[in-house]
Structures are given as C-alpha cells and as structure tokens.
C-alpha cells in the first residue's frame, strides 16, 4: 500500500520594528540580558500594552504578498498559559479574527508549480529566553525578547513532501527579506518553523494522526526532520500500530525526531478578547497605501531582469536571490556597466569573495559604481580582464575606487604600439629557439612567446595587441 | 447532578496554577456551584441577535509610533526579583518536558 | 490651639496656601498629626510617608514663593489606594503576594496630581486586589468606619474613604470595578466618583477587571470632586482605552440651577426589596431635587436582574488572566518551600493569594475554560450589551438617574455571612454602571438613626460627568443638613 504525507507549516517571524509590539523597548538582538526591558514587557503590575502601528503595517504587507484577504476588523486576544518566559502568563495574540487569512503561495518544486494555501497570518508577541546553562541548578530568564512583534503564518495542510516544505520555507524567507519586515535570521531565532506531519493511505480522504515537530534550528533541519518523520510514521502504520499525537523535537546529531511528550496534556488556552486594546479596523485606503509601497518581489524582478537586461533565467534567478543582490546589480548597471559582464562579476568573483569572508552583499565595501567603473575600464581596454581579477580583491579589501588602485599599482594595460613593439623584439631576441620554431611553421611556439611578453610586462600588455605585434615582428625578420 | 464537581475544581485549579486542600476543593465546588446556578439565569434571555460587548467603548485603531523609548536599568528591572544573579531572573530548573 | 487645617476641603486648603494664609508644610503637618492621633483607631493607612510628605510640602512652598507656582491642588494632602503604582513606598494591593513590591513608575493619575501640586500622605488599605465590599479582605489590617468603629468602611477602597471621612486626607484616589469607590463613599459619608470608562487613564492601576476598572476621587464635597476629576482626566498614550476627548472645566458645573432637568428613577431599583431608612433618605433627596426644579420621571432598566450574573462572569474571567502574572518569577512572593517550577507556581500563588482572590480566580478560569466560554463569557458579554442599551434608552428620557448607592448602610465588622453569593448580591446598584461604562457619583444624603451615612447615587450619560456634578452640587448646597465630622478624636 502507498502512503502519502500531509504537512502543514507554522512559521513565527520576528518583525524588525525598532521598538517592541506593545512598548518602546528596543528590539535589538545583541544586548546584555535584561537590559531591553521595561515594566510593560516585564509584565509588572499596573502596566498596559499599546500597539506598534508599524507591526500592524508589516503584518498587512505580508498578508498582501501572500495573497491573503486583509481583515477589515480584527482584534487582539489573550492566550492563557503559564511559563517562566511568558511575562504576564498570557500571550497577547490573535485568535478568531487574524489580521490576514485565506491566501496562497506558489512554489517551484522539480520544475513544477505547487500552490500552498495560507490559512492565516496573525500578530502576537514573542516570549523571553530561558537559559539552562547557569550554575547552581537554576534556569535564568532574559526578557529582552519578551514583547518583540511576531507574525505567525500558518499554511493549509497542502504540503506533501519534505521537498515542498523546504521550497515553501525558502521562498517565504526570500519574500519576507524582500519586504524588509524581518531579518529572517534563523540563528538569532527571528524565523522559526514548526511542522505538523501526518501520513495516510493514498486516496484516503481522512487525515492521519499528526505529530508536531518543534525546535528545529534550520530549514535543512526541518527538511530532514520531516523526511524522517514521514518514514517513521509509515513504518509505525505498516506494523499495524498507530501514531501518537505529540510534540517531537529534532535531534540533529542522531538525525531522528524524539518525543517531547508534555505532561500538561490539556492545552486549554482560555482565549478571550484583550480588554486593554481596542480593535483594529483596516479600511481599503490603508490597504492600498501599503500595497502601493510594496517592493518588487523576487519572481517579478527575475522576469524583468530576463527581459530588460537580456539575462538568462538562471542568472536572473541568482541575481534576485536577495533584494540586496538585485539592488546591487541594478545599481552597477545604472552606473554604466553592461548587464552581462556585471552579472558575471557579481555572481562570480564578487560572490566568491563574499562567501570566503562570510559577508553579506549589503555590507560589501565595493560600491556598485566602483564595480561599474572597473568593468568599463576592461571594456575600454584600459586594464585587462586578468588584471581585473587581481584588482577586485584589492577593491574588496580596501574599498578604494579602481582608478586609484590602478594608478598606485601601475596596472594600466600596455597598448602603446611602439613600446610593445620594442618589448616584442626583445622577447624574440631573448628566445631564439622558439622564434625559430615559429618561423619553421611550429605555430604553437607563439603561445610561449606571448607568455614571455606578458611576464615581461607583469601582465599589463594588452594580450590581443601583444599577439598581433609578435606575429608581425616574427614575420618581419624572416 | 451538582453544577460543579470536585474534579472540575481540580481541573480549573491546575489551569490557574493553584493548589487547594481537600476541604477547600469541596467548599469551592459547592459555593461556585451555586454561583454558577445563579448565573444560569442568563439563559432566560434570547441573545441570538445580540452582539457581544467585547469592549467598554466603541473605539478602534489606537496605535503608538515605532519609536524606541528608554528601557529600565537592569538593577531596577531586577530589584523586585525573588531570585537573581544580577543578570537573569532565576527560577528552578526548567525541564524541556514542562 | 493650632488651626485644624485637616478639617478643610481641598479647594479651601489650596486657596489658603496660594493666598499665603498658611504654608503647605503647616497644612501637611496638621494632617500628619491627625493621622497620628486617629489612625490607630481607623486604620485607614497601610503606609504613611511622613518625611517625604514634609519635604514635598517644603518644595511646594518654595515653588510658590520663587516661581509663583499656582497648581490646582497646590499643598493639598492626598492619600492613595494601594492599588495604584507609586515610586514612593510600596505598592502591594494589600496582598501577601506583593508584600515589599516597589513599583519602578508612578501611575498616570499620580503623576497628574503631582504636577498639580498635591502632597501624598501615603497608601490606604483595601480589599486584596480590590476584591470585596468591606475592606475585610485586606491581608494587612481591618479598617474601621470613622462614624462607628464597629462597622466596616465599605470596600474595596475602604481605606481611602475612611481616610477622607476621618479627616486624615483632604482627598483620596480609589478604583471602582463594581462599586469600589461609590459604596465605601456611601458608607463613610463622602463624595465618590467613578468616571466614564476611558475618561481617566488606568496606566498604573493594578488591574482587577480591565474592561470595568476606573480610577476616581474621594472628596469631602462636590467642588473638590470636580477639581480632582479635572486634574486626573484626559487621554494618556499609555492607556489605549483612554479617550481622546477634551477635558472640560468641571468647576463650570458648580453653582448652577437644575430647573427643568429630568431626573430618572429606575423602577427596577425601587422595588419592595429596598426598604427602611435607605429608601426613606433617597426619597427625601429626590424630593429636594424636585424642589430645586428638577422633573422626576420613571425610567426602565429591564435587564437589571441579570447584572450581577454578568458582572461576576466578566470580572472573574478578566481577573483570572490579570492575576496570572503573580507567579514569583519577576517580583512578589515566592514560596520558600518551592523546589521545582510547578511548586514555584502552585505554592507561591496558593500561599500568596487570600481566599476571596483564589475563589474568583477559580471561578474566572472556569467560565473561560474549554467548553464553557460560550455559555458563560460570551453570553455575559451579550447581556452586557443589553444592559448598556438599557441605559442609553433610559437616558433618552432623562438627564441623570438617581438610585441608592447600596441597599443598606455599612454593616458590622464580621457580620456578613460566609455566603459569597449573598455578598455579591449587595452590589446590585453599583455594578450595572461599570457594565454600561457610564459615570456614577455617590454622595451623602443623610444618616440612619444609628448615625451611619446613607449614600445617594447619581448616574450620567457617557462622558457627561458635567451634569452629574451640576446636580450633585445643587443638591449638596440645598440638602438642608451638614455632614459634619465623625465623632472621633
Ligand atoms: Mg503563536
Ligand atoms: Zn518594554
């Protein structure tokens, strides 16, 4: 019998507002414990929340790009449960009236397009962080993350494989980065995915018992965890046993999911409308204003790159991976570089330098206008492509413009015919054997002589010119 | 059939993170049972056409600007903590299964 | 003998201080020695800020001298219910769970009184977390009614009411979720106002039931009530439910006639059940209003009988969430017996909260729990709509509504039965006001033969405190008796 997997994903995104969801504390990640806290996010007696407008607007923006309906009327609710990382022992979240609902996202898997339904996207607040590594048998709680705005995005159970889940997560992350609403930094926990996985016999309309996979630190971890979980559930069912509904964690070292059965079996959250906050009414005017401010998204940008810059689908895809890279490319072109070489330099040498130094293109020290200038100098023949390959790391390290480095290091290409002629004569004189070989019809010897000429000019000779002049000189003497 | 059993009280006390002794549970089951019975009075009213009054006032869209305001100094944040190491609020070891 | 400044009203004190007749320091010392003299009997205060009050008074005197400071409450000594956050002293809600808690901030109302030049004398006793009607649920002490020390002062703001009645403060701030300002004001013979929900910022009020709570003043007369309301009212960005409406000059309500004003008497409030001396005094007061030219009309509030059920569902549900934060993690009591997380929560909360608070948390958790939400919480919110509509309709027929504040005067300490339902039923006249979010004012309208004050309640339209104060002031100036001072020295 064949089985199929039914998977739904819940993604929690920390929105990168300046201040928290309900108070003015900074959302910065790198702060010493309990220094970005105030009475509100510590849940002290007497405090009241006040909604950050920016977080609502980010939520609407995400809702729009996920093709959701934006609720004309939504509200905040209290979700009640006790945990040391939850300052008030209730989380302010959205229950029955989320900010956005009923959308979809098309992802590409194996060259096919798969539509994944988005059930809802709602606003809530993040919790504090617990530390278990302190001495003395205690756990420590740091409330710096308490109250950071979160958007929870829930899919329909439309996903059928780990591959589809991975494609969805990667695309979602790409879109969220494009929107600029989140840092999407998984190491810092600003993007967290949970998967609900069940399997059933193919053709069975009824859903199987699901497990919830939590606390996975990366998308590739999620991929592996889902793959493992599908296989595990199929083997449980094949043995004639049944799957237990539970939460499971991912153990990356052993490559397995493990039960995290909680003893508090009843999740009775006692949701009710947050009386300290008034409802959120979103009218068309507000939605349209946000829609108008949305940036061009990866898919559209890729298509435009293909048509506008005559790039291949592949190149356009790579260049639009991140908004920062796409912007970098376009600025380079705007500064005068022809698109194709610009694309090659960015995707090739520049990307290699970035990867090697673990840098993001957004913090790259080479200004796009400087890269453009370098490419123009190559096109004009001022420097050789080979020189440029050495020049780029210099520019990358120093942030200096190419003309300055070229002057400093005397890297201008030698295209002066009389100077090159005399060097060519010297090279021929110094290498009588190969010269004779060439004249004897062994044209292969020319390569050696060109190499010698390049060496003599520290690579600065215009290779095409050098070739021509050597042939001319060799023929002349005969 | 009593409106509220001792088991109900135990379930709710667990949700509210309260521990009650046996006598208190019995008494609460009785007291709250009669209060709940009194509350059943509301079922005399047909409210199928009534909107709930979820908020005391009819207001919408009260927001604040996304501006950072000064936080508390850590000393003040921790000044009321029952247990702290000067950096963190300390609690008995949290187990993953909790 | 030194002049008894503590006998004066806030506006009298302010005028004397600004007019140079007396220094704020002398006034403050007068109140402090009054507290020293009588508070061992009344037990209104849980904390007196003696030194801070004197240095604050000196600061006010200096500012008047040097800067020509003219604050609306310059030099007026005020007490504060212990449910309001203050940087000075402790904020405990008279609960063991918050013993020793220091708030890092002042409530918005406290800031506003401070800016107006008030002098804070200390914090007053209350029912734990404002849950009660007699102040007997305080974990700290019993407060006694200044008119008869064997009687309760009412509650939950009993300490505030008693401090004003016993001349231990010129005014006080309390909170009112279901009558906790108006009922003790009635019991102690002072003026108490619960403003319209949203009129006064709740920031810094330790929440009991967020959709019902409102802060308001206790004063000796209506003029002081207008003065206090004008000082604390207005939009606060820290409270999203505070309303952005201009704050009128409430003193404009004073010394006006009430000819032609329609006074509504709700039929449902004047049933057989209301008897004895309270009914007598209320009817007397209504006759006085008629004599002043008001027109008395009967109005209907048909859903009155459901109000108590609605109230105790909503307030306990909200309280169960509001009180969840008291867990021994960030502040407050942590049981020394706790060795693991579960015990930290369970023991700290069970040992830290008193029996009435625990009872309400259990009830509130139950009505929200899975399977019961629609039957209780949602149903209550729907009936709340009906109760609110009742008032809106009634106010088409009248400008204010008059009712008793409480069916009975203050009762003897320890007299109320252990039956919580019976206790809840005595809130009948006050709770609908919180459910409807309208303003309500209680003021004395006479004494029982036993010498206990009786309270008259005036209710107004949303945000129409002005008319309430106008009627209250007209009545106060023509009621034909003097409140005088309780026989305590
Ligand atoms: Mg969530
Ligand atoms: Zn904060």
């Amino acid at each position: 019998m064949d089985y199929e997997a039914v998977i739904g994903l819940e993604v929690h995104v920390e929105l990168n507002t300046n201040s928290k969801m309900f108070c003015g504390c900074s959302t910065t990640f790198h702060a010493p414990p309990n220094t970005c806290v105030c009475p509100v996010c510590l849940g002290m007696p007497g405090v009241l929340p006040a909604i950050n407008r920016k977080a609502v607007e980010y939520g609407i923006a995400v809702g729009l790009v996920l093709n959701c309906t934006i609720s004309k009327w939504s509200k905040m609710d209290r979700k009640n449960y006790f945990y040391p990382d939850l300052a008030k022992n209730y989380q302010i979240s959205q229950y029955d009236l989320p900010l956005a609902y009923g959308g979809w996202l098309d992802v590409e898997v194996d060259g096919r397009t798969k539509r994944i339904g988005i059930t809802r996207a709602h606003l809530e607040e993040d919790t504090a962080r617990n530390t278990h590594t302190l001495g003395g048998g205690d756990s420590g709680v740091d409330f710096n993350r308490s109250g950071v705005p979160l958007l929870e995005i829930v899919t329909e159970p439309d996903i059928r494989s780990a591959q589809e889940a991975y494609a969805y997560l990667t695309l979602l992350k790409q879109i969220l980065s494009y929107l600029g609403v989140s840092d999407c930094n998984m190491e810092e926990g600003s993007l967290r995915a949970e998967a609900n996985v069940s399997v059933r016999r193919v053709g069975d309309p009824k859903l199987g018992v699901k497990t919830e996979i939590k606390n996975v630190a990366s998308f590739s971890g999620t991929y592996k965890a889902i793959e493992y979980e599908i296989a595990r559930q199929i083997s449980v069912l094949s043995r004639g046993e049944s799957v237990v509904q539970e939460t499971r964690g991912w153990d990356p070292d052993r490559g397995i999911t493990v039960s995290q059965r909680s003893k508090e079996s009843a999740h009775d959250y006692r949701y009710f409308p947050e009386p300290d906050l008034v409802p959120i009414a979103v009218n068309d005017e507000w939605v349209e204003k946000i829609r108008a401010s949305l940036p061009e998204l990866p898919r559209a940008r890729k298509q435009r790159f293909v048509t506008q810059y005559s790039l291949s689908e592949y190149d356009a895809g790579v260049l639009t991976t991140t908004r920062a890279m796409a912007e970098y490319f376009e600025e380079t072109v705007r500064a005068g570089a022809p698109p194709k070489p610009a694309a090659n330099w960015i995707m090739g040498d520049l990307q290699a330098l970035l990867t090697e130094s673990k840098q993001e293109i957004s913090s790259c020290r080479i200004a796009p206008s400087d890269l453009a200038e370098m490419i123009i100098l190559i096109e004009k023949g001022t420097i050789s492509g080979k020189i440029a390959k050495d020049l780029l790391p210099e520019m990358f390290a120093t942030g200096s413009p190419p003309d300055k480095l070229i002057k400093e290091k005397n890297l201008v290409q030698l295209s002066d015919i009389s100077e090159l002629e005399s060097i060519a004569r010297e090279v021929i004189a110094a290498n009588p054997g190969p010269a004779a070989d060439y004249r004897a019809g062994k044209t292969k010897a020319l390569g050696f002589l060109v190499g010698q000429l390049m060496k003599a000019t520290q690579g600065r000779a215009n290779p095409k010119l050098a070739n021509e002049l050597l042939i001319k000189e060799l023929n002349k003497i005969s | 059939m009593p409106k509220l059993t001792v088991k109900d009280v135990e379930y709710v006390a667990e949700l509210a993170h309260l521990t009650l002794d046996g006598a208190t549970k019995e008494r609460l089951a009785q007291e709250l049972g009669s209060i709940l019975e009194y509350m059943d009075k509301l079922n005399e009213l047909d409210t199928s056409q009534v909107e709930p009054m979820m908020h005391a006032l009819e207001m919408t869209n009260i927001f604040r600007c996304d501006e950072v305001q000064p936080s508390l100094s850590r000393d003040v944040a921790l000044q009321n903590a029952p247990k702290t190491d000067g950096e963190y609020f300390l609690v008995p070891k949290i187990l993953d299964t909790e | 003998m030194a002049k008894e400044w503590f006998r004066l009203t806030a506006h009298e004190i302010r005028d004397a201080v600004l007019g140079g007749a007396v220094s704020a320091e002398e006034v403050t010392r007068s109140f402090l020695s009054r507290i020293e003299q009588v508070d061992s009997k009344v037990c209104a205060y849980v904390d007196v800020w003696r030194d801070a009050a004197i240095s604050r008074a000196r600061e006010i005197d200096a500012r008047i001298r040097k800067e020509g400071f003219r604050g609306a409450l310059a030099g007026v000594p005020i007490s504060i219910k212990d449910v309001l956050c203050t940087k000075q002293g402790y904020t405990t809600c008279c609960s063991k769970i918050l013993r020793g808690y220091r708030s890092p901030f002042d409530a918005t109302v406290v800031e506003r009184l401070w800016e107006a030049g008030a002098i804070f004398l200390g914090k007053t006793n209350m029912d734990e977390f404002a849950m009660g009607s007699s102040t007997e649920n305080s974990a700290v002490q019993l407060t006694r009614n200044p008119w008869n020390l064997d009687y309760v002062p009412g509650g939950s703001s009993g300490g505030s009411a008693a401090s004003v009645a016993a001349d231990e403060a010129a005014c006080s701030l309390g909170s009112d979720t279901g009558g906790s300002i108006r009922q003790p004001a009635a019991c102690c013979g002072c003026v108490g106002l619960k403003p319209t929900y949203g009129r006064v910022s709740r920031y810094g009020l330790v929440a009991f039931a967020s959709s019902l709570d409102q802060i308001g003043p206790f004063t000796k007369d209506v003029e002081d009530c207008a003065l206090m309301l004008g000082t604390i009212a207005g939009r606060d960005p820290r409270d999203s439910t505070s309303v952005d409406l201009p704050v009128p000059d409430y003193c404009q309500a004073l010394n006006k006639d009430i000819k032609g004003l329609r006074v509504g008497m709700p039929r449902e409030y004047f049933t057989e059940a209301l008897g004895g001396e309270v009914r007598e005094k209320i009817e007397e007061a209504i006759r006085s209003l008629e004599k002043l030219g008001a027109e008395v009309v009967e109005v209907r509030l048909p859903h009155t009988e459901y109000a108590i059920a609605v109230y105790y569902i909503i307030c306990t549900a909200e309280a169960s969430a509001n009180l969840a934060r008291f867990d021994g993690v960030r502040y407050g009591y942590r049981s020394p017996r706790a060795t693991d997380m579960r015990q930290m929560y369970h023991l700290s909360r069970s040992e830290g909260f008193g029996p009435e608070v625990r009872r309400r948390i259990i009830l509130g958790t139950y009505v929200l729990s899975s399977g019961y939400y629609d039957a209780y919480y949602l149903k209550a919110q729907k009936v709340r709509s009906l109760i609110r509509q009742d008032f809106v309709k009634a106010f088409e027929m009248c400008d204010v509504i008059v009712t008793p504040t409480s069916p009975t005067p203050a009762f003897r300490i320890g007299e109320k039965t252990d039956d919580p339902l019976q206790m809840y039923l005595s809130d009948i006249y006050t709770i609908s006001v919180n459910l409807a979010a309208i303003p309500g004012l209680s003021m004395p309208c006479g004494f029982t033969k036993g010498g206990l004050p009786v309270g008259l309640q005036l209710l107004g339209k949303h945000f129409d405190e002005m008319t309430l104060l106008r009627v209250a002031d007209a009545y106060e100036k023509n009621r034909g008796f003097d409140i005088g001072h309780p026989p305590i020295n």
Side-chain angles (χ1 to χ4, degrees):
Chain A
M1 241 337 185
D2 277 350
Y3 288 93
E4 74 169 349
V6 178
I7 302 159
L9 292 170
E10 278 174 33
V11 174
H12 282 86
V13 188
E14 274 187 356
L15 301 176
N16 63 359
T17 51
N18 296 323
S19 64
K20 291 185 180 179
M21 184 71 211
F22 300 116
C23 65
C25 289
S26 165
T27 56
T28 184
F29 186 79
H30 301 282
N34 293 306
T35 54
C36 294
V37 294
C38 74
V40 175
C41 54
L42 285 172
M44 289 182 133
V47 299
L48 296 170
I51 302 176
N52 185 337
R53 174 192 286 271
K54 190 107 221 165
V56 177
E57 293 182 336
Y58 280 180
I60 294 171
V62 174
L64 287 175
V65 303
L66 296 180
N67 307 293
C68 289
T69 305
I70 305 303
S71 299
K72 295 221 179 307
W73 187 261
S74 78
K75 64 177 168 67
M76 308 306 296
D77 299 278
R78 293 186 182 178
K79 179 183 182 180
N80 296 284
Y81 66 95
F82 281 82
Y83 207 70
D85 65 10
L86 193 58
K88 304 177 291 296
N89 289 315
Y90 60 81
Q91 180 191 36
I92 303 179
S93 180
Q94 297 194 285
Y95 181 49
D96 54 343
L97 296 172
L99 195 60
Y101 60 94
W104 45 265
L105 191 61
D106 283 342
V107 299
E108 307 288 329
V109 185
D110 288 339
R112 272 198 303 267
T113 301
K114 162 95 184 193
R115 177 159 294 189
I116 292 166
I118 306 290
T119 314
R120 56 187 280 157
H122 72 251
L123 287 167
E124 56 186 31
E125 54 179 337
D126 208 348
T127 58
R129 290 284 177 273
N130 298 322
T131 317
H132 308 277
T133 50
L134 302 169
D138 284 318
S139 292
V141 194
D142 167 14
F143 284 87
N144 284 351
R145 304 316 291 159
S146 169
V148 169
L150 281 184
L151 191 71
E152 180 176 331
I153 303 165
V154 183
T155 73
E156 292 290 306
D158 291 344
I159 300 166
R160 292 289 171 271
S161 68
Q163 220 186 347
E164 287 179 12
Y166 186 81
Y168 166 81
L169 291 172
T170 336
L171 180 59
L172 181 66
K173 179 180 170 184
Q174 189 189 26
I175 289 174
L176 294 171
S177 314
Y178 257 75
L179 286 177
V181 299
S182 174
D183 303 332
C184 293
N185 188 330
M186 297 198 67
E187 271 141 51
E188 293 178 357
S190 57
L191 197 65
R192 312 191 287 266
E194 292 165 22
N196 290 309
V197 180
S198 67
V199 298
R200 64 177 170 194
R201 291 263 160 87
V202 171
D204 191 342
K206 231 178 77 218
L207 289 174
V209 177
K210 66 173 183 185
T211 59
E212 203 175 334
I213 308 171
K214 281 190 173 172
N215 303 322
V216 191
S218 66
F219 288 165
S220 57
T222 305
Y223 179 92
K224 288 181 207 150
I226 292 173
E227 261 199 333
Y228 176 87
E229 189 58 20
I230 293 170
R232 187 189 71 86
Q233 289 188 17
I234 289 175
S235 87
V236 167
L237 293 178
S238 315
R239 287 198 304 270
E241 294 164 20
S242 31
V243 173
V244 180
Q245 178 158 0
E246 62 183 353
T247 299
R248 297 180 72 87
W250 172 242
D251 183 338
D253 298 330
R254 292 193 286 163
I256 59 169
T257 64
V258 271
S259 172
Q260 292 184 339
R261 218 168 307 170
S262 87
K263 65 171 179 238
E264 200 182 341
S265 50
H267 284 296
D268 190 341
Y269 291 126
R270 290 156 286 137
Y271 281 101
F272 72 98
E274 169 56 274
D276 288 331
L277 293 170
V278 303
I280 301 169
V282 184
N283 59 21
D284 293 345
E285 194 189 339
W286 196 10
V287 171
E288 289 318 312
K289 212 173 137 197
I290 293 169
R291 196 194 301 278
S293 72
L294 292 175
E296 188 181 24
L297 292 175
R299 184 160 301 165
R301 200 161 198 169
K302 178 181 165 189
Q303 284 319 308
R304 183 167 61 80
F305 278 19
V306 169
T307 49
Q308 185 176 344
Y309 302 119
S310 308
L311 297 177
S312 69
E313 287 270 341
Y314 176 80
D315 286 359
V318 173
L319 287 173
T320 53
T321 308
T322 67
R323 185 173 164 183
M325 184 181 267
E327 235 121 72
Y328 193 95
F329 167 76
E330 292 214 88
E331 272 179 58
T332 308
V333 172
R334 238 175 281 136
K340 183 65 190 163
N344 289 342
W345 279 102
I346 292 169
M347 289 157 52
D349 291 48
L350 183 59
Q351 186 55 55
L353 289 166
L354 288 167
T355 309
E356 192 185 329
S357 59
K358 293 196 176 74
Q359 278 187 59
E360 297 292 327
I361 197 157
S362 52
S363 57
C364 178
R365 293 185 72 185
I366 303 177
S369 56
D370 287 342
L371 179 65
E373 196 193 322
M374 186 195 88
I375 294 167
I376 293 164
L377 290 172
I378 302 168
E379 298 288 314
K380 286 201 297 202
T382 312
I383 56 171
S384 66
K386 188 172 181 311
I387 290 284
K389 281 198 174 290
D390 297 333
L391 181 62
L392 196 73
E394 293 286 334
M395 290 166 66
F396 189 79
T398 60
S400 301
D403 57 337
K404 183 164 170 263
L405 289 169
I406 289 166
K407 262 181 224 133
E408 269 172 24
K409 308 212 174 242
N410 195 24
L411 298 174
V412 177
Q413 183 160 271
L414 265 182
S415 300
D416 183 295
I417 294 181
S418 60
E419 197 181 343
L420 276 178
E421 266 173 0
S422 76
I423 298 171
R425 280 193 292 272
E426 282 165 28
V427 167
I428 292 166
N431 297 285
D437 286 350
Y438 177 81
R439 286 176 188 125
K442 292 183 184 165
T443 47
K444 261 170 108 184
L446 180 65
F448 175 80
L449 293 167
V450 172
Q452 291 303 301
L453 186 143
M454 293 308 284
K455 200 173 167 191
T457 59
Q458 288 105 44
R460 288 165 56 227
N462 181 329
K464 198 167 155 249
L465 203 55
N467 225 12
E468 282 170 23
L469 291 173
L470 271 172
I471 293 169
K472 202 170 123 201
E473 289 301 320
L474 287 163
N475 291 341
K476 210 189 266 174
I477 289 166
S478 67
Chain B
M1 177 77 181
K3 192 82 192 160
L4 201 69
T5 63
V6 168
K7 246 185 119 180
D8 293 333
V9 172
E10 279 170 354
Y11 171 77
V12 174
E14 186 60 38
L15 283 179
H17 283 54
L18 289 168
T19 297
L20 306 170
D21 60 45
T24 309
K25 278 186 245 176
E26 302 254 350
R27 209 191 58 237
L28 278 177
Q30 210 164 45
E31 280 173 2
L32 300 183
S34 59
I35 292 170
L36 290 168
E37 229 161 84
Y38 174 78
M39 286 167 175
D40 281 345
K41 208 177 161 49
L42 298 182
N43 295 327
E44 295 167 7
L45 291 170
D46 176 9
T47 51
S48 52
Q49 302 303 311
V50 183
E51 280 293 307
M53 180 173 163
M54 285 306 188
H55 286 86
L57 298 169
E58 286 163 8
M59 293 197 290
T60 54
N61 293 0
I62 305 295
F63 301 121
R64 40 171 272 276
C65 297
D66 182 26
E67 273 164 16
V68 174
Q69 302 287 329
S71 292
L72 291 177
S73 79
R74 183 156 65 197
D75 289 350
V76 175
L78 295 172
Q79 74 179 357
N80 289 293
K83 196 171 181 191
T84 166
D85 61 359
E87 274 191 302
Y88 292 92
F89 294 89
L90 296 185
V91 295
K93 196 157 195 67
I94 300 165
L95 305 169
D96 278 340
T97 49
E98 266 169 320
Chain C
M1 198 178 102
K3 186 164 161 58
E4 292 187 327
W5 293 104
F6 58 82
R7 297 284 190 208
L8 302 191
T9 62
H11 58 93
E12 287 166 347
I13 291 170
R14 190 238 0 241
D15 291 346
V17 168
L18 290 181
V22 65
S23 68
E25 183 177 350
E26 192 181 339
V27 170
T28 302
R29 285 186 185 278
S30 161
F31 274 91
L32 287 168
S33 55
R34 172 70 175 175
I35 292 170
E36 219 156 88
Q37 195 185 359
V38 301
D39 204 52
S40 56
K41 295 168 203 153
V42 179
C43 305
Y45 283 90
V46 291
D47 195 11
V48 179
W49 302 340
R50 192 187 165 79
D51 295 343
I54 290 170
S55 66
R56 166 71 174 163
R58 286 182 181 148
E59 179 204 323
I60 294 294
D61 286 330
R63 286 184 58 197
I64 291 168
R65 227 173 26 245
K66 290 183 195 148
E67 306 162 21
F69 177 68
R70 308 287 299 169
L73 292 167
V76 176
I78 286 174
S79 66
I80 303 167
K81 186 181 183 180
D82 201 25
V83 75
L84 289 165
C85 291
T86 51
K87 281 197 267 191
Q88 179 77 34
Y90 303 100
T91 301
T92 75
C93 299
C94 293
S95 177
K96 181 181 171 187
I97 214 159
L98 272 181
R99 188 178 293 163
Y101 175 76
R102 288 186 178 277
S103 175
F105 66 96
D106 278 327
T108 298
V109 287
V110 170
E111 278 180 356
R112 289 186 178 172
L113 291 184
W114 180 269
E115 280 155 23
I119 289 153
F120 299 129
L121 296 171
K123 302 294 273 281
T124 55
N125 197 26
M126 58 186 277
D127 285 303
E128 183 180 357
F129 285 107
M131 294 177 181
S133 310
S134 64
T135 313
E136 290 169 297
N137 293 336
S138 166
V140 182
Q141 65 196 20
L142 268 182
T143 295
R144 291 164 187 278
N145 191 315
W147 295 95
N148 186 331
L149 298 175
D150 294 331
Y151 284 72
V152 302
S156 66
S157 313
S160 283
S163 73
V164 172
D167 298 323
E168 297 180 69
C171 321
S172 189
L173 279 182
S175 65
D176 188 315
T177 307
S180 281
I181 291 174
R182 291 158 289 153
Q183 187 259 13
C187 288
C188 292
C190 32
V191 178
L193 172 70
K194 182 208 86 85
T196 311
Y197 186 88
R199 179 76 284 188
V200 175
S201 166
R202 294 182 292 118
Y203 194 84
L205 168 68
V206 181
F208 163 12
S210 311
S211 75
L212 302 165
D213 295 341
Q214 192 65 188
I215 298 165
F218 288 91
T219 57
K220 293 183 183 180
D221 68 4
V222 175
E223 180 169 350
D224 279 4
C225 185
L227 187 61
M228 285 286 279
L229 179 63
T231 307
I232 61 174
R235 162 95 182 127
D236 173 12
R238 290 176 294 185
D239 177 0
S240 305
T241 65
S242 72
V243 174
D244 196 7
L245 282 176
V247 178
D249 176 4
Y250 290 111
C251 291
Q252 295 291 316
L254 308 172
N255 304 312
K256 293 264 164 48
D257 74 63
I258 55 165
K259 281 198 189 74
L261 210 92
R262 294 165 306 164
V263 173
M265 271 176 79
R267 187 196 288 176
E268 293 78 4
Y269 284 34
F270 291 86
T271 60
E272 313 268 285
L274 175 64
E277 293 183 282
V278 171
R279 187 180 197 116
E280 234 169 73
K281 294 293 160 194
I282 301 298
E283 284 173 350
E284 226 170 79
I286 292 171
R287 279 196 295 278
S288 305
L289 293 175
E290 263 180 316
K291 261 188 230 151
L292 291 167
E295 182 197 335
V296 176
V297 296
E298 190 187 77
V299 294
R300 299 294 312 272
L301 298 169
H303 296 94
T304 299
E305 60 175 309
Y306 303 104
I308 286 172
V310 169
Y311 174 78
Y312 278 96
I313 291 169
I314 294 172
C315 82
T316 57
E318 292 181 5
S320 73
N322 283 330
L323 299 189
R325 69 189 62 195
F326 302 102
D327 59 4
V329 175
R330 286 142 292 125
Y331 46 77
Y333 175 77
R334 182 188 293 187
S335 172
R337 299 195 289 139
T339 55
D340 61 25
M341 273 242 308
R342 190 188 136 81
Q343 289 179 354
M344 179 191 70
Y345 285 132
H346 283 248
L347 295 178
S348 304
R349 288 168 60 76
S350 302
E351 293 165 15
F353 288 133
E356 179 61 21
V357 176
R358 290 202 302 264
R359 178 176 12 242
R360 294 198 194 192
I361 291 174
I362 296 277
L363 182 57
T365 307
Y366 181 79
V367 298
L368 287 173
S369 68
S370 173
Y372 295 101
Y373 179 86
D374 287 3
Y376 292 109
Y377 192 74
L378 188 64
K379 183 78 184 182
Q381 294 288 23
K382 288 180 166 188
V383 181
R384 186 178 180 185
S385 284
L386 297 175
I387 290 169
R388 182 196 155 102
Q389 280 166 27
D390 280 358
F391 278 97
V392 171
K393 275 194 207 131
F395 280 119
E396 287 168 4
M397 312 299 297
C398 64
D399 303 294
V400 288
I401 289 174
V402 287
T403 82
T405 306
S406 176
T408 59
F411 51 85
R412 261 179 200 283
I413 290 169
E415 176 192 300
K416 273 280 154 124
T417 60
D418 279 341
D419 182 351
L421 182 55
Q422 283 313 308
M423 191 84 145
Y424 296 170
L425 291 176
S426 67
D427 301 334
I428 177 70
Y429 297 125
T430 47
I431 56 173
S432 296
V433 177
N434 300 77
L435 293 172
I438 58 172
L441 180 148
S442 178
M443 65 190 297
C445 62
F447 289 87
T448 63
K449 288 184 197 75
L452 290 168
V454 174
L456 172 76
Q457 184 176 230
L458 299 171
L459 310 179
K461 300 173 190 174
H462 289 109
F463 299 102
D464 190 16
E465 285 82 1
M466 205 69 166
T467 304
L468 274 194
L469 292 164
R470 180 176 149 206
V471 176
D473 181 63
Y475 170 68
E476 183 181 69
K477 288 180 171 135
N478 295 282
R479 69 189 158 191
F481 69 91
D482 191 15
I483 281 292
H485 298 273
I488 177 173
N489 277 298

